[in-house]
Amino acid sequence: MRPLTTHAALLRHSTSAATVSAPRARIPVPRPPQCRFTSTETPATEKLSPRWLSDVRARIGKCIMFGIDDMQTNEAGSILQEISSDWRELLAGSEGFLTGEEYRGLYRQEVVWGEMDSMGHVNNVMYNRYAESARVNWTLKFASQDPAHKKEWLELMSPKSIGLILRSIKTDYKFPMKWPDRVTVLHKLRSKPEQGTDHFILDVLILSEAQRRAAARCIEDIVVYDYRTAKKSALPPFMIAKFQKTFQLQEQAKAENSARVRQLLTRVRELEESSWDRPDAVEDFGSAANP
């Protein structure tokens, strides 16, 4: 969370050899409210390679190359099926991103050939555009989840009353995407907002569907702005309530999917230990060894 500037200062008082003046009273200046509740649990994927999903496939391939029995074959197939169908949940869900349809900002959107630059990869500015489009969609989807405040959610994307303004965005590029590809973009709240806070931080994950890993990550600082008074405003109660519930769901997704990742990696390791990584293991060259 970006720290807010504290304006409180202690007023100094002076003394002399002849007289001692009374100290001036301190003038208390309230600190602006902040989002204090942040996640403390470390994602299971934090120390893994960005290519850990493809590494798992390669590790299973090595087990198969050394020869495995029918039971091991079924286990290998089960693991491959899980990472093929649930890779977004394993990768993004273990970090706390909600991958369900009602929370996706962009889902499998095609990368357009014209989005590439003269270097032959997607231009850097496009990643911020993906993040912006996904953020708008992510916000508007709350309107369908919270019909009692549908009008207020929709107005957040207009200059009518309370709106959202992007104060800053920081983008880390992980690898250059190329056409053809598709992107899925997910947002999550970094902290659980409290009453009175006037901004919030969003983490953004831009996934390459072709590579099945992060192409870029962004951090967005969003300010709540009242267009009627031309001033910053505290998050309205309906946003606070929905964001707090969303943050709780993020924490649940992180715990559940991190457990899945750990269990999956344990299964892969057990398969290795029962195939090529055992004292009597011999590589199976198949029919090539017996022409």
Side-chain angles (χ1 to χ4, degrees):
M1 176 60 64
R2 179 177 176 180
L4 299 176
T5 304
T6 303
H7 299 286
L10 179 63
L11 299 177
R12 298 179 180 273
H13 60 275
S14 59
T15 60
S16 65
T19 61
V20 178
S21 60
R24 297 179 182 178
R26 296 181 181 179
I27 303 176
V29 179
R31 293 171 179 256
Q34 302 184 48
C35 302
R36 299 177 182 175
F37 298 98
T38 58
S39 176
T40 56
E41 182 181 347
T42 301
T45 55
E46 183 182 52
K47 296 183 179 180
L48 298 180
S49 162
R51 298 181 178 86
W52 73 271
L53 282 170
S54 58
D55 290 344
V56 165
R57 290 193 291 269
R59 290 168 64 182
I60 292 178
K62 184 175 181 179
C63 294
I64 295 173
M65 182 176 62
F66 271 78
I68 53 179
D69 59 28
D70 291 344
M71 185 177 296
Q72 293 168 328
T73 299
N74 291 335
E75 174 67 354
S78 176
I79 295 172
L80 291 173
Q81 175 63 32
E82 184 173 355
I83 64 175
S84 176
S85 61
D86 298 343
W87 69 272
R88 298 178 196 85
E89 288 73 23
L90 296 169
L91 181 65
S94 61
E95 296 185 24
F97 289 94
L98 299 176
T99 59
E101 182 178 356
E102 67 273 27
Y103 293 102
R104 300 169 185 160
L106 292 177
Y107 180 63
R108 293 183 52 79
Q109 176 168 302
E110 287 192 59
V111 172
V112 179
W113 185 86
E115 293 173 345
M116 292 192 297
D117 56 23
S118 60
M119 303 302 291
H121 55 71
V122 174
N123 189 276
N124 284 356
V125 72
M126 291 308 306
Y127 295 87
N128 286 0
R129 290 183 179 177
Y130 295 150
E132 179 182 49
S133 296
R135 182 179 70 254
V136 172
N137 292 338
W138 178 82
T139 304
L140 294 180
K141 283 189 174 183
F142 286 119
S144 59
Q145 299 175 34
D146 184 15
H149 299 96
K150 181 177 181 178
K151 180 176 180 291
E152 290 90 337
W153 283 108
L154 295 177
E155 286 185 348
L156 288 175
M157 293 297 107
S158 70
K160 295 180 179 179
S161 54
I162 301 294
L164 303 180
I165 294 179
L166 177 66
R167 177 159 57 184
S168 67
I169 182 169
K170 177 180 180 295
T171 304
D172 289 330
Y173 304 98
K174 300 304 180 181
F175 76 91
M177 281 196 301
K178 298 181 180 180
W179 175 88
D181 202 340
R182 293 175 182 267
V183 293
T184 291
V185 184
L186 305 170
H187 279 73
K188 74 171 182 178
L189 293 159
R190 175 166 290 192
S191 304
K192 182 170 69 173
E194 294 181 305
Q195 298 291 338
T197 186
D198 59 10
H199 76 287
F200 54 95
I201 304 294
L202 293 174
D203 289 304
V204 190
L205 185 61
I206 301 176
L207 295 172
S208 161
E209 293 279 325
Q211 298 294 326
R212 294 190 174 183
R213 60 189 175 100
R217 293 176 181 270
C218 307
I219 301 174
E220 298 175 334
D221 185 0
I222 311 297
V223 173
V224 181
Y225 188 79
D226 191 335
Y227 287 94
R228 297 163 299 189
T229 61
K231 295 180 180 180
K232 288 194 297 183
S233 171
L235 271 72
F238 75 91
M239 287 186 69
I240 292 286
K242 190 61 180 177
F243 279 1
Q244 288 182 346
K245 292 179 180 178
T246 300
F247 185 81
Q248 183 178 357
L249 291 174
Q250 290 176 181
E251 292 297 282
Q252 293 174 1
K254 180 191 293 185
E256 292 170 3
N257 288 291
S258 287
R260 289 183 64 188
V261 170
R262 295 185 184 99
Q263 183 181 31
L264 187 72
L265 295 177
T266 297
R267 291 169 62 192
V268 173
R269 183 59 191 143
E270 289 174 349
L271 188 62
E272 290 175 329
E273 291 175 340
S274 64
S275 57
W276 67 266
D277 195 13
R278 67 177 196 269
D280 61 337
V282 178
E283 185 171 2
D284 183 3
F285 291 98
S287 60
N290 300 293

